[in-house]
Amino acid sequence: MHDTALSQLKDIMPDSEIHTGLLLPAIVLLLVLMLSLSLYLYWRNRNKPQPTPQTVVLQHLQALDWRGEIGREQLYQLTLHTRTYLDGREDPAFESIQQSLQPHKYHPDAPLADKTVIETIAHYIKGLS
């Protein structure tokens, strides 16, 4: 009795075949390509030299614009970046620049920096590279 019910079902729905001929090789090929691409990117980035903090800070210092009006924020950036670049070393030229910038940095209505001080700063930054 059980066999007749199954044979009746087979008569209603024909046998269906699932074609997996190309599906499995395509998935394997895709996985291999993804793995090889990730390995390539890993090795390329691993062998690439990372810039030192001094190099990055030197680029920031060279990017500062010393034309036009120089505000307190730019003077603070100069101080922070130069101290990071020097990394605890003492530099008499930087200390003299710091002394000349004292009246311009710490007061809310401080006058703008003189042209001679700005030229000294620009010359100092060029000397760092």
Side-chain angles (χ1 to χ4, degrees):
M1 175 185 222
H2 187 65
D3 290 330
T4 57
L6 186 61
S7 65
Q8 288 175 352
L9 273 178
K10 284 186 179 179
D11 289 341
I12 296 173
M13 284 190 64
D15 292 335
S16 62
E17 294 181 17
I18 300 175
H19 299 284
T20 59
L22 293 178
L23 184 61
L24 185 62
I27 290 174
V28 170
L29 180 65
L30 183 63
L31 288 175
V32 167
L33 286 175
M34 287 175 39
L35 179 66
S36 61
L37 179 65
S38 63
L39 285 175
Y40 168 73
L41 292 175
Y42 171 75
W43 283 106
R44 187 182 74 174
N45 289 336
R46 181 174 173 231
N47 293 333
K48 188 179 191 182
Q50 299 296 326
T52 63
Q54 283 76 19
T55 315
V56 173
V57 169
L58 183 61
Q59 290 172 354
H60 286 293
L61 281 172
Q62 291 170 344
L64 290 175
D65 185 22
W66 296 106
R67 295 172 288 190
E69 294 183 3
I70 307 302
R72 287 190 325 232
E73 181 62 33
Q74 195 166 3
L75 297 176
Y76 285 127
Q77 293 297 320
L78 168 75
T79 303
L80 292 174
H81 291 320
T82 307
R83 284 189 178 151
T84 304
Y85 178 78
L86 292 176
D87 193 28
R89 293 176 288 154
E90 291 188 22
D91 188 1
F94 178 65
E95 294 302 323
S96 68
I97 290 173
Q98 287 292 73
Q99 292 299 322
S100 64
L101 291 178
Q102 285 288 18
H104 304 287
K105 289 197 316 191
Y106 301 109
H107 303 289
D109 6 317
L112 296 175
D114 301 342
K115 291 270 186 199
T116 56
V117 174
I118 293 172
E119 289 174 2
T120 306
I121 292 170
H123 182 69
Y124 178 75
I125 291 174
K126 285 181 185 176
L128 291 177
S129 57

